Amino acid sequence: AADGEIAKFFDSDAGGITIYQYNRDKTLVYYYAHLARRAETIKEKDYVKRGTVIGFVGDTGNAGTGNYHLHFSISKIEK
């Protein structure tokens, strides 16, 4: 969605395979969930540019088998 740092990889029953990413100035966090898999070329703490493939749409977590989609959210980091 934007330039920024890959903050964390996390797998959960609800979100399945997920990625958390900060924006450039770490005021926002982007959440990508229900991924089929993460891109093999990225790891936590990597800085990625907008347009970089970081993951692939899937149906993991509680999405339900065959319900391929991306759960995406943006949260403001309160300091």
Side-chain angles (χ1 to χ4, degrees), residues 17-31:
I17 298 170
T18 70
I19 298 172
Y20 291 83
Q21 178 194 348
Y22 296 123
N23 68 331
R24 188 180 324 197
D25 60 3
K26 295 187 177 180
T27 57
L28 302 173
V29 65
Y30 306 111
Y31 173 72

Side-chain angles (χ1 to χ4, degrees), residues 2-77:
D3 296 356
E5 180 183 317
I6 301 296
K8 174 170 92 165
F9 294 157
F10 186 71
D11 298 340
S12 69
D13 290 337
I17 298 170
T18 70
I19 298 172
Y20 291 83
Q21 178 194 348
Y22 296 123
N23 68 331
R24 188 180 324 197
D25 60 3
K26 295 187 177 180
T27 57
L28 302 173
V29 65
Y30 306 111
Y31 173 72
Y32 306 82
H34 305 298
L35 302 172
R37 63 185 172 90
R38 297 177 193 97
E40 295 169 3
T41 55
I42 64 162
K43 61 187 181 307
E44 291 178 346
K45 307 295 183 202
D46 279 355
Y47 189 88
V48 295
K49 296 289 227 171
R50 185 174 133 197
T52 301
V53 174
I54 62 172
F56 300 88
V57 172
D59 63 351
T60 60
N62 64 7
T65 304
N67 293 319
Y68 300 98
H69 70 284
L70 174 65
H71 180 138
F72 177 77
S73 68
I74 302 171
S75 300
K76 185 175 182 182
I77 298 172

